[in-house]
Amino acid sequence: MKFSPLVQELIHSFKCLPGVGAKSAQRMAFHLLERNRIGGKKLAESLASAMDNIGHCQQCRTFTEADFCEICLSPKRKISEQLCIVETPADVIAIEQTGEFQGLYFILMGHLSPLDGIGPDDLGLDILESQLAKNQFKEVILATNPTVEGEATAHYIAELSKKYQVAISRIAHGVPVGGELEFVDGNTLSHALSGRKNYHF
Amino acid sequence: MKELEQNAFLLHSRPLRDNQVIAEFLTELNGKVSAIVYVGTSLKSNKKALLQPFTPLIIVLKGNGNLKTLNRIEVSSKSFLLTSEHLYSGFYLNELQVRLLGEHIPYENLYALYKRCLVQLAEKNAIEPVLRRFENTLLEELGLTIDFSVINDQVEQFYYFPEQGFIPVIENLTQPRYSRAHLIAINNQDFSDVEVRKTHKVLMRQIINHLLGGKPLNSRQLFKKR
């Protein structure tokens, strides 16, 4: 059986979401049509305006509809001397939730991955260089993921920032809180051991 | 069916669904194999930590088709810690294999050689000889040997044409030229001269570019800006 063209198109459109196949798309479409027309309309409106208006922050490349994002505009952070480099906007949220970091961010929107065809030119490193050239920062914190690709990205950026006289640091690797050493994989554990710190009283 | 344990290295993995990835392994017995891997999203699952390149793995694959499913995965020893350009070189080796190797063709010497190359890269040995030796063996395993016998002493310079071999320079072509002395040195595995190494690099690059069908290797970009 075939649905009418409009219904068919709606189902098909839902399939562009990650993790949504034919069945889930159908379920979503029917749910909105049957039970939640208001919610559906709202979704359509916010989708339309988001797709039209949201771009990248000119300074840190996060998603925002304004020229600069809130973090970059904050007066306290504007004069900060730390720059934290992360892979995705989700990483910014994660770090923000810790409340440990009061500096500025730079978001790469990915990592170097030659086999997927993502090279240095795709990570907005020219914008990063222009930021570093302003000489505002004293420290660059490399907070890319602890994967081989993330490590490669961190190294590439470290080499790039060397000429700007900044301290370059890499976030530590270690055992998760509440974890058990027994179940931690060998690589993480060896990183945790080799990067151990002096005990502070 | 008895399950077959074998040594392997991950070459590349890409996400398939939320909790699945397609991974390409270089295995000791079956050559390059693609497999679907279920990676749990729970905190206890450490499969993602195992699915990193340059880590010696022991894997068990199941399935009859071309695309296997990963049954079991363990780490067999510590992963090779590559840094800076040695890391980029590791990517280069992986990319070469992902692009050039056929699936399920057992390449006899490749696994051992790949491992040896990683050891040398991890020890921060000079990169070039490692890469050249790997390229040489890779080409041999692909069934491509370079015929040096046509090099005689009447001509000083040669062009290299894929599928034809060396041809003496007569006309002017926009192709790299190779001097006879350098080619003889390459044939004798004598790489003491810097110029010979450069020639070897250009020659390898020409052959590999031809095999890749003109599509550039992305990992070369990483070396560019220095």
Side-chain angles (χ1 to χ4, degrees):
Chain A
M1 183 202 132
K2 256 190 132 181
F3 299 113
S4 68
L6 207 54
V7 179
Q8 198 69 38
E9 200 188 311
L10 179 63
I11 294 174
H12 189 76
S13 311
F14 270 120
K15 280 204 272 189
C16 75
L17 292 169
V20 175
K23 277 281 174 225
S24 331
Q26 194 177 313
R27 196 162 49 94
M28 288 176 182
F30 288 165
H31 175 83
L32 290 183
L33 291 174
E34 219 172 296
R35 302 184 204 284
N36 202 350
R37 295 245 170 179
I38 300 169
K41 265 187 191 153
K42 221 177 130 205
L43 176 69
E45 276 161 27
S46 46
L47 257 183
S49 75
M51 291 305 119
D52 284 343
N53 298 324
I54 293 181
H56 293 285
C57 169
Q58 288 173 15
Q59 201 174 327
C60 72
R61 298 227 307 155
T62 193
F63 291 121
T64 176
E65 63 268 33
D67 286 346
F68 294 99
C69 70
E70 227 169 85
I71 291 178
C72 291
L73 284 177
S74 139
K76 208 166 120 201
R77 288 175 185 245
K78 252 187 195 165
I79 49 162
S80 161
E81 289 173 343
Q82 287 178 321
L83 180 70
C84 184
I85 297 174
V86 294
E87 287 184 13
T88 62
D91 297 336
V92 173
I93 306 294
I95 295 178
E96 277 301 287
Q97 277 173 350
T98 66
E100 283 285 317
F101 183 70
Q102 298 298 327
L104 290 166
Y105 291 94
F106 186 82
I107 294 135
L108 300 169
M109 296 285 172
H111 52 226
L112 288 182
S113 177
L115 284 98
D116 296 310
I118 301 171
D121 301 336
D122 303 309
L123 299 179
L125 297 183
D126 48 329
I127 305 176
L128 177 64
E129 274 200 87
S130 67
Q131 302 261 342
L132 291 171
K134 281 193 272 178
N135 275 332
Q136 178 191 351
F137 301 109
K138 294 229 164 76
E139 185 183 4
V140 170
I141 302 170
L142 301 168
T144 51
N145 284 338
T147 57
V148 171
E149 285 90 358
E151 229 38 74
T153 315
H155 182 83
Y156 194 90
I157 294 172
E159 284 217 312
L160 186 122
S161 12
K162 223 167 30 185
K163 56 174 179 265
Y164 296 104
Q165 273 100 44
V166 288
I168 303 165
S169 59
R170 177 89 174 100
I171 51 162
H173 301 263
V175 185
V177 175
E180 290 167 49
L181 289 194
E182 196 188 339
F183 294 112
V184 173
D185 67 287
N187 272 343
T188 309
L189 205 51
S190 68
H191 271 302
L193 271 175
S194 62
R196 65 184 184 276
K197 280 203 270 183
N198 286 334
Y199 201 90
H200 290 295
F201 291 99
Chain B
M1 198 176 83
K2 200 171 160 277
E3 58 180 24
L4 177 72
E5 271 190 1
Q6 60 178 332
N7 292 317
F9 278 100
L10 178 90
L11 294 178
H12 182 50
S13 70
R14 57 178 199 272
L16 179 64
R17 273 177 223 158
D18 278 354
N19 55 353
Q20 285 177 355
V21 297
I22 290 186
E24 287 183 65
F25 295 99
L26 176 71
T27 62
E28 198 175 12
L29 306 172
N30 303 65
K32 192 180 82 170
V33 179
S34 301
I36 293 184
V37 184
Y38 289 87
V39 285
T41 41
S42 77
L43 278 175
K44 265 216 166 143
S45 162
N46 59 3
K47 248 190 206 160
K48 270 194 181 148
L50 303 184
L51 282 177
Q52 294 292 326
F54 319 127
T55 306
L57 302 167
I58 296 173
I59 60 171
V60 177
L61 299 167
K62 66 177 181 188
N64 300 321
N66 252 345
L67 186 63
K68 306 281 183 195
T69 310
L70 186 80
N71 208 2
R72 203 143 51 76
I73 181 168
E74 285 165 37
V75 173
S76 69
S77 63
K78 235 186 114 193
S79 64
F80 296 102
L81 285 178
L82 308 182
T83 47
S84 67
E85 278 174 10
H86 296 84
L87 176 56
Y88 303 157
S89 310
F91 281 135
Y92 175 72
L93 296 186
N94 282 5
E95 190 174 11
L96 271 186
Q97 295 180 77
V98 166
R99 298 271 295 271
L100 292 180
L101 293 184
E103 292 204 343
H104 297 282
I105 304 169
Y107 299 102
E108 258 171 55
N109 308 316
L110 209 57
Y111 177 84
L113 177 76
Y114 180 64
K115 193 168 178 179
R116 222 168 36 242
C117 287
L118 289 186
V119 172
Q120 285 172 338
L121 288 177
E123 284 170 353
K124 301 206 186 306
N125 289 359
I127 290 172
E128 281 202 345
V130 179
L131 296 188
R132 291 300 94 72
R133 202 169 58 228
F134 187 82
E135 288 166 348
N136 248 335
T137 314
L138 184 72
L139 292 181
E140 268 171 36
E141 294 279 339
L142 289 171
L144 204 150
T145 41
I146 306 167
D147 182 16
F148 286 97
S149 62
V150 292
I151 301 163
N152 48 35
D153 33 25
Q154 283 136 30
V155 197
E156 273 309 309
Q157 286 189 312
F158 292 87
Y159 291 123
Y160 180 82
F161 287 98
E163 285 150 27
Q164 290 177 37
F166 291 106
I167 288 175
V169 169
I170 300 166
E171 304 164 62
N172 263 332
L173 293 174
T174 51
Q175 278 226 33
R177 295 175 176 198
Y178 306 103
S179 86
R180 190 169 56 87
H182 289 178
L183 291 178
I184 291 171
I186 292 170
N187 195 23
N188 296 335
Q189 307 278 319
D190 172 20
F191 298 115
S192 47
D193 187 0
V194 186
E195 291 301 314
V196 174
R197 291 205 293 269
K198 266 189 198 152
T199 308
H200 195 203
K201 185 176 182 173
V202 175
L203 176 64
M204 280 297 171
R205 192 164 272 215
Q206 198 198 340
I207 296 171
I208 287 170
N209 278 349
H210 171 71
L211 287 178
L212 290 168
K215 272 192 183 170
L217 279 172
N218 294 310
S219 33
R220 280 196 191 133
Q221 284 183 7
L222 297 174
F223 292 94
K224 244 194 274 169
K225 286 178 192 163
R226 252 182 295 151

